[in-house]
Amino acid sequence: MSSRYPNSIASTLSPSIKSAKSRARREPSGVFSLFQTAQIQQFKEAFSLIDQDGDGMVTEADLKNTFSNLGITPTRRMMDDLLTDRPGGESADDKDRGVNFTMFLTMMGEHLLELDSEQELLEAFECFDENDEGKVKCEELRKWLGEVGERMDDEEIDRLLKGPFTDRQGYFNYREWVKVLRVNGEDEH
């Protein structure tokens, strides 16, 4: 049986390294079990938007184009941070500095699992929802987010409150926002 590696390299790889690499390629990732099918589809759509050349890898060029389209000029450090945050970390080979969909999904899972559970988030917002309507006055939310606990800066608060979850009357619909963030919620019956 011929090796997929050139003879000069294949002879230096121990059998255990070869089998570990082979096993890593064949074993399916458990990350897909963390999400519901609809969530995976949404992540796939986001990945496809970033993977502008459609080659199945988000590379530095893809990230630069995406940032450019958003009017952002990424710094070298920002690019390095994004590309080395991937599972497996840094790569010695510059052409291998990319993220495939499984890596992307793993990264999203790691970041989203850091969030509080859906119930904890709802309970936190319900403290400010006197009429149990599922929404909170933006002014009040801005005050608490900027002055209490782990304070957010004005830019972070603006990004949250100027999004699609704020209505024209100045209320933030926290129930809808939490639904979007839900990672480990049960299927709705």
Side-chain angles (χ1 to χ4, degrees), residues 58-76:
V58 171
T59 61
E60 188 168 342
D62 292 323
L63 287 173
K64 283 181 179 178
N65 286 334
T66 300
F67 281 125
S68 176
N69 290 339
L70 295 171
I72 299 170
T73 304
T75 64
R76 177 91 221 127

mmCIF file of all heavy atoms in Angstrom, residues 58-76:
data_model
loop_
_atom_site.group_PDB
_atom_site.id
_atom_site.type_symbol
_atom_site.label_atom_id
_atom_site.label_comp_id
_atom_site.label_asym_id
_atom_site.label_seq_id
_atom_site.Cartn_x
_atom_site.Cartn_y
_atom_site.Cartn_z
ATOM 1 N N VAL A 58 -12.404 29.516 5.372
ATOM 2 C CA VAL A 58 -12.334 30.953 5.601
ATOM 3 C C VAL A 58 -10.864 31.270 5.827
ATOM 4 O O VAL A 58 -10.252 30.812 6.794
ATOM 5 C CB VAL A 58 -13.182 31.378 6.816
ATOM 6 C CG1 VAL A 58 -12.921 32.831 7.180
ATOM 7 C CG2 VAL A 58 -14.659 31.162 6.534
ATOM 8 N N THR A 59 -10.314 32.029 4.905
ATOM 9 C CA THR A 59 -8.893 32.376 4.950
ATOM 10 C C THR A 59 -8.733 33.850 5.299
ATOM 11 O O THR A 59 -9.720 34.591 5.416
ATOM 12 C CB THR A 59 -8.240 32.118 3.585
ATOM 13 O OG1 THR A 59 -8.900 32.957 2.613
ATOM 14 C CG2 THR A 59 -8.345 30.657 3.173
ATOM 15 N N GLU A 60 -7.491 34.255 5.412
ATOM 16 C CA GLU A 60 -7.212 35.657 5.698
ATOM 17 C C GLU A 60 -7.807 36.561 4.612
ATOM 18 O O GLU A 60 -8.377 37.612 4.910
ATOM 19 C CB GLU A 60 -5.700 35.866 5.801
ATOM 20 C CG GLU A 60 -5.334 37.244 6.271
ATOM 21 C CD GLU A 60 -3.863 37.360 6.645
ATOM 22 O OE1 GLU A 60 -3.194 36.343 6.864
ATOM 23 O OE2 GLU A 60 -3.398 38.515 6.723
ATOM 24 N N ALA A 61 -7.708 36.147 3.362
ATOM 25 C CA ALA A 61 -8.272 36.948 2.262
ATOM 26 C C ALA A 61 -9.783 37.073 2.400
ATOM 27 O O ALA A 61 -10.345 38.157 2.194
ATOM 28 C CB ALA A 61 -7.907 36.316 0.919
ATOM 29 N N ASP A 62 -10.460 35.978 2.778
ATOM 30 C CA ASP A 62 -11.914 36.022 2.978
ATOM 31 C C ASP A 62 -12.273 36.988 4.099
ATOM 32 O O ASP A 62 -13.216 37.780 3.978
ATOM 33 C CB ASP A 62 -12.465 34.628 3.327
ATOM 34 C CG ASP A 62 -12.381 33.641 2.185
ATOM 35 O OD1 ASP A 62 -12.583 34.054 1.023
ATOM 36 O OD2 ASP A 62 -12.119 32.452 2.450
ATOM 37 N N LEU A 63 -11.523 36.919 5.199
ATOM 38 C CA LEU A 63 -11.798 37.802 6.329
ATOM 39 C C LEU A 63 -11.572 39.267 5.953
ATOM 40 O O LEU A 63 -12.373 40.132 6.306
ATOM 41 C CB LEU A 63 -10.920 37.429 7.523
ATOM 42 C CG LEU A 63 -11.299 36.136 8.242
ATOM 43 C CD1 LEU A 63 -10.247 35.791 9.291
ATOM 44 C CD2 LEU A 63 -12.669 36.238 8.880
ATOM 45 N N LYS A 64 -10.490 39.531 5.230
ATOM 46 C CA LYS A 64 -10.213 40.911 4.809
ATOM 47 C C LYS A 64 -11.339 41.448 3.928
ATOM 48 O O LYS A 64 -11.778 42.590 4.095
ATOM 49 C CB LYS A 64 -8.883 40.987 4.068
ATOM 50 C CG LYS A 64 -7.682 40.931 4.977
ATOM 51 C CD LYS A 64 -6.389 41.035 4.185
ATOM 52 C CE LYS A 64 -5.181 40.994 5.096
ATOM 53 N NZ LYS A 64 -3.929 41.040 4.336
ATOM 54 N N ASN A 65 -11.822 40.630 2.987
ATOM 55 C CA ASN A 65 -12.932 41.054 2.123
ATOM 56 C C ASN A 65 -14.199 41.303 2.922
ATOM 57 O O ASN A 65 -14.914 42.281 2.689
ATOM 58 C CB ASN A 65 -13.191 40.006 1.037
ATOM 59 C CG ASN A 65 -12.142 40.011 -0.037
ATOM 60 O OD1 ASN A 65 -11.498 41.019 -0.294
ATOM 61 N ND2 ASN A 65 -11.965 38.866 -0.677
ATOM 62 N N THR A 66 -14.493 40.413 3.869
ATOM 63 C CA THR A 66 -15.689 40.568 4.685
ATOM 64 C C THR A 66 -15.612 41.851 5.501
ATOM 65 O O THR A 66 -16.566 42.634 5.536
ATOM 66 C CB THR A 66 -15.879 39.349 5.607
ATOM 67 O OG1 THR A 66 -16.010 38.171 4.794
ATOM 68 C CG2 THR A 66 -17.108 39.499 6.478
ATOM 69 N N PHE A 67 -14.477 42.071 6.162
ATOM 70 C CA PHE A 67 -14.308 43.298 6.948
ATOM 71 C C PHE A 67 -14.406 44.528 6.053
ATOM 72 O O PHE A 67 -15.023 45.521 6.425
ATOM 73 C CB PHE A 67 -12.974 43.297 7.701
ATOM 74 C CG PHE A 67 -12.990 42.462 8.949
ATOM 75 C CD1 PHE A 67 -12.054 41.465 9.135
ATOM 76 C CD2 PHE A 67 -13.926 42.682 9.944
ATOM 77 C CE1 PHE A 67 -12.055 40.697 10.283
ATOM 78 C CE2 PHE A 67 -13.938 41.923 11.097
ATOM 79 C CZ PHE A 67 -12.999 40.923 11.266
ATOM 80 N N SER A 68 -13.801 44.468 4.893
ATOM 81 C CA SER A 68 -13.847 45.586 3.956
ATOM 82 C C SER A 68 -15.285 45.909 3.569
ATOM 83 O O SER A 68 -15.678 47.078 3.525
ATOM 84 C CB SER A 68 -13.022 45.252 2.714
ATOM 85 O OG SER A 68 -13.132 46.275 1.766
ATOM 86 N N ASN A 69 -16.083 44.878 3.309
ATOM 87 C CA ASN A 69 -17.493 45.077 2.964
ATOM 88 C C ASN A 69 -18.277 45.711 4.111
ATOM 89 O O ASN A 69 -19.294 46.358 3.886
ATOM 90 C CB ASN A 69 -18.145 43.756 2.570
ATOM 91 C CG ASN A 69 -17.645 43.247 1.241
ATOM 92 O OD1 ASN A 69 -17.130 43.998 0.421
ATOM 93 N ND2 ASN A 69 -17.787 41.945 1.025
ATOM 94 N N LEU A 70 -17.801 45.507 5.330
ATOM 95 C CA LEU A 70 -18.456 46.087 6.503
ATOM 96 C C LEU A 70 -17.882 47.452 6.867
ATOM 97 O O LEU A 70 -18.293 48.065 7.851
ATOM 98 C CB LEU A 70 -18.319 45.137 7.704
ATOM 99 C CG LEU A 70 -19.025 43.796 7.570
ATOM 100 C CD1 LEU A 70 -18.625 42.863 8.711
ATOM 101 C CD2 LEU A 70 -20.534 43.983 7.537
ATOM 102 N N GLY A 71 -16.901 47.919 6.082
ATOM 103 C CA GLY A 71 -16.295 49.220 6.344
ATOM 104 C C GLY A 71 -15.284 49.190 7.475
ATOM 105 O O GLY A 71 -14.996 50.220 8.087
ATOM 106 N N ILE A 72 -14.735 48.016 7.758
ATOM 107 C CA ILE A 72 -13.768 47.860 8.846
ATOM 108 C C ILE A 72 -12.408 47.534 8.242
ATOM 109 O O ILE A 72 -12.307 46.700 7.343
ATOM 110 C CB ILE A 72 -14.199 46.708 9.789
ATOM 111 C CG1 ILE A 72 -15.563 47.011 10.408
ATOM 112 C CG2 ILE A 72 -13.144 46.451 10.855
ATOM 113 C CD1 ILE A 72 -16.166 45.834 11.153
ATOM 114 N N THR A 73 -11.392 48.195 8.739
ATOM 115 C CA THR A 73 -10.026 47.884 8.319
ATOM 116 C C THR A 73 -9.385 47.070 9.433
ATOM 117 O O THR A 73 -9.050 47.619 10.489
ATOM 118 C CB THR A 73 -9.210 49.168 8.073
ATOM 119 O OG1 THR A 73 -9.901 49.976 7.126
ATOM 120 C CG2 THR A 73 -7.821 48.837 7.570
ATOM 121 N N PRO A 74 -9.249 45.756 9.228
ATOM 122 C CA PRO A 74 -8.713 44.912 10.302
ATOM 123 C C PRO A 74 -7.213 45.126 10.489
ATOM 124 O O PRO A 74 -6.485 45.354 9.530
ATOM 125 C CB PRO A 74 -8.995 43.494 9.809
ATOM 126 C CG PRO A 74 -9.018 43.612 8.322
ATOM 127 C CD PRO A 74 -9.564 44.983 8.029
ATOM 128 N N THR A 75 -6.786 45.059 11.738
ATOM 129 C CA THR A 75 -5.361 45.158 12.029
ATOM 130 C C THR A 75 -4.721 43.785 11.848
ATOM 131 O O THR A 75 -5.410 42.767 11.802
ATOM 132 C CB THR A 75 -5.127 45.622 13.478
ATOM 133 O OG1 THR A 75 -5.650 44.621 14.364
ATOM 134 C CG2 THR A 75 -5.791 46.962 13.752
ATOM 135 N N ARG A 76 -3.425 43.756 11.757
ATOM 136 C CA ARG A 76 -2.686 42.489 11.631
ATOM 137 C C ARG A 76 -2.980 41.607 12.838
ATOM 138 O O ARG A 76 -3.201 40.411 12.732
ATOM 139 C CB ARG A 76 -1.182 42.786 11.539
ATOM 140 C CG ARG A 76 -0.358 41.555 11.477
ATOM 141 C CD ARG A 76 -0.159 41.160 10.007
ATOM 142 N NE ARG A 76 -0.268 39.742 9.863
ATOM 143 C CZ ARG A 76 -1.071 39.109 9.006
ATOM 144 N NH1 ARG A 76 -1.847 39.752 8.211
ATOM 145 N NH2 ARG A 76 -1.095 37.829 8.908
#
